[in-house]
Amino acid sequence: MVSANTFHVVATELVVGAYSLAGIAFLFCLLCPWLPTSIKEKRSAGDAVAHSALMFGIIATPFAIWSGLSSAPSGDMGSPLLANKMLLSMSGLGLALGTLVGRWRGGAAVWETRRSSIIQACSGAGATGLMLLTASAGGTFSRGESLLDWLHLPYNEVMLMPTYLSVVLLLLGLACTVVGFKPTD
C-alpha cells in the first residue's frame, strides 16, 4: 500500500510538470508571431501541447489536493500556509478550466487575433503561475524552504477578502460560466 505522503509527492510532481509544460507551450504560442517562419508554423503543435498538458494538470490537481490533505499532520490543518495553498490551487484550477473552455468554444481561432491570443496565453500562464506558487508554498510547509524564498512571499498570512468582494467575484464567476456555455448562433 502506498502512503498518503508518497502519493502526494507523485501527484504533486505530475501537477507541477503538467502545468510547467503547459506554461512553456502557452508562452511559445504567444511569441509565435515574432519567431522565424519555420518555427511559426509549429503553433498548432504548441497549442495542442499547451491545452493537453493543462487538461492533464487539471485532472491531476484533485489527487494532489486530496493526498496533501490526507498527508498533512492533524495539528496543521488550521495553518495559514495550508489555507493559502488551497486558495492558490483552487484559483489556478479555475483559471485553467476557464482557459480550456475558452479554447474549446473558440477553437484554434483563439490564436488568430492579437487580443484573444494574449488572453489565452496569459490565462494559461496565470494558471501555471498559481500552481507553481502553490507548489512553492508546499515546499515551505513540508521542508521549511522553497525555490521562491527569495521573493519573501507572505505564506503565513491568510489572504482574506471582504465578504462583499467574495460575493461580487462569485457572481462574476457565475456570469462568466453562463456566458461561456451559452449556445452560439
Side-chain angles (χ1 to χ4, degrees):
M1 185 80 181
V2 176
S3 72
N5 293 344
T6 302
F7 186 74
H8 181 63
V9 170
V10 171
T12 301
E13 293 304 323
L14 288 172
V15 169
V16 169
Y19 276 94
S20 296
L21 178 60
I24 291 168
F26 277 115
L27 182 62
F28 170 76
C29 288
L30 181 64
L31 297 176
C32 261
W34 297 283
L35 296 175
T37 306
S38 61
I39 299 173
K40 200 183 300 188
E41 296 169 354
K42 307 286 189 231
R43 184 188 284 187
S44 62
D47 174 60
V49 168
H51 291 94
S52 298
L54 197 62
M55 182 175 291
F56 183 78
I58 289 170
I59 292 168
T61 297
F63 294 104
I65 293 170
W66 170 77
S67 62
L69 291 173
S70 298
S71 65
S74 60
D76 288 338
M77 290 304 285
S79 163
L81 198 89
L82 198 55
N84 284 331
K85 281 186 65 168
M86 287 301 292
L87 174 69
L88 291 168
S89 65
M90 290 292 112
S91 299
L93 186 63
L95 192 54
L97 282 170
T99 303
L100 281 181
V101 168
R103 172 59 173 83
W104 173 62
R105 300 283 293 168
V110 297
W111 300 110
E112 291 175 8
T113 67
R114 185 179 182 132
R115 181 176 177 225
S116 65
S117 64
I118 288 172
I119 291 170
Q120 189 70 8
C122 288
S123 60
T128 297
L130 288 168
M131 285 303 179
L132 294 180
L133 279 173
T134 303
S136 177
T140 302
F141 185 71
S142 62
R143 295 181 304 279
E145 66 177 0
S146 78
L147 286 174
L148 299 179
D149 281 347
W150 59 275
L151 292 174
H152 305 290
L153 297 170
Y155 290 130
N156 288 320
E157 297 173 15
V158 179
M159 299 177 272
L160 296 176
M161 292 187 292
T163 305
Y164 73 88
L165 187 56
S166 295
V167 170
V168 168
L169 288 175
L170 176 65
L171 293 174
L172 181 62
L174 289 172
C176 289
T177 302
V178 168
V179 169
F181 284 105
K182 182 180 169 188
T184 57
D185 296 330

